Amino acid sequence: MTLVAFDFDGTLSDSEMTVLLGDRCGVADEMADITERAMNDEIGYAESLRQRAALLEGLPNAEAEAAYERVELRPDAATLIDALNAASITTAILTGGFQRGVESALEREGTAVDHIVSNRLPVADDELTGGVEGSLIEGTKDTALENLADAQGVDLSETVAVGDGANDLPMLKVAGLAVGFDPKPAVEPHCDVVVTSMRELRELLVEEGVLEGEPA
């Protein structure tokens, strides 16, 4: 295994970026309603994301940045990423969330990944426009993982995908090793193995030979 791809919200982080952003402009309840409708398959993911982004129109960029600063990695996530980087394993985050929130969380922990595939909330006149951009609005994570594997010259059988939700299913289904991180009930049957902490995930990667030695 030479490429490990993580979901972000619900996996590397238990923060929900859209909720943090919604709190900044008083639309958290509306966002929760849209999210619930999407989870119930009343609207598609892309439409739900566009609706949530539209609610943020006019939010000052400084307020958005303040929300991103509250995005946090789970305990032991940074040390796991550092261990993978030190072992020359290609690391990636594939998320429908927003790039600045991911970058902010990584920067505060002093860690980094090789690739971030995510969405962005465009800014004009120092305010969010209410739009959303990125390859994971309509695109799916299997395509993102395949593209990364191709770019690295890696077969999909040599990849690990770690995720928890329905939008992670595409990459979990094509990865060589599908790891559910405390997965939703509909996701768990599609996982090769389930973990509930970053420490447990590191132990699994040692067992699978992705990392060497014992967890620190």
Side-chain angles (χ1 to χ4, degrees):
M1 300 292 180
T2 58
L3 191 162
V4 179
F6 299 93
D7 170 50
F8 192 76
D9 289 318
T11 300
L12 280 180
S13 171
D14 63 0
S15 304
E16 288 292 341
M17 274 185 250
T18 54
V19 172
L20 293 173
L21 288 161
D23 282 340
R24 290 278 164 175
C25 54
V27 296
D29 289 344
E30 291 93 328
M31 287 208 171
D33 180 63
I34 294 168
T35 299
E36 183 176 358
R37 291 174 62 205
M39 290 177 66
N40 291 333
D41 287 331
E42 296 173 26
I43 54 174
Y45 172 76
E47 178 60 23
S48 75
L49 184 58
R50 291 191 177 97
Q51 288 186 16
R52 284 176 285 171
L55 290 172
L56 299 171
E57 182 179 1
L59 180 68
N61 190 44
E63 288 291 309
E65 290 295 328
Y68 294 144
E69 288 174 6
R70 294 181 58 197
V71 179
E72 297 181 346
L73 297 183
R74 290 186 186 276
D76 300 317
T79 55
L80 172 57
I81 293 170
D82 289 343
L84 289 166
N85 291 337
S88 299
I89 303 297
T90 300
T91 51
I93 292 173
L94 311 183
T95 176
F98 308 119
Q99 185 169 343
R100 278 299 303 135
V102 173
E103 291 173 340
S104 179
L106 294 173
E107 288 165 4
R108 281 195 309 282
E109 292 285 350
T111 192
V113 295
D114 296 305
H115 304 279
I116 299 173
V117 182
S118 60
N119 295 322
R120 297 170 300 281
L121 295 173
V123 176
D125 298 322
D126 213 32
E127 295 180 344
L128 299 192
T129 65
V132 61
E133 302 172 341
S135 60
L136 287 177
I137 301 172
E138 300 286 353
T140 53
K141 294 185 181 182
D142 55 343
T143 301
L145 184 59
E146 288 164 0
N147 290 342
L148 283 175
D150 286 345
Q152 298 296 315
V154 171
D155 191 89
L156 279 172
S157 65
E158 299 173 9
T159 66
V160 180
V162 187
D164 72 304
N167 66 337
D168 298 316
L169 280 172
M171 72 172 179
L172 291 169
K173 289 179 178 178
V174 301
L177 178 64
V179 182
F181 190 95
D182 195 14
K184 305 296 188 294
V187 176
E188 186 169 352
H190 302 279
C191 300
D192 297 317
V193 63
V194 169
V195 298
T196 58
S197 70
M198 286 294 143
R199 185 176 181 84
E200 191 177 349
L201 176 57
R202 183 168 180 171
E203 291 169 354
L204 170 68
L205 295 178
V206 169
E207 291 171 5
E208 294 289 335
V210 179
L211 291 173
E212 294 183 357
E214 293 298 325

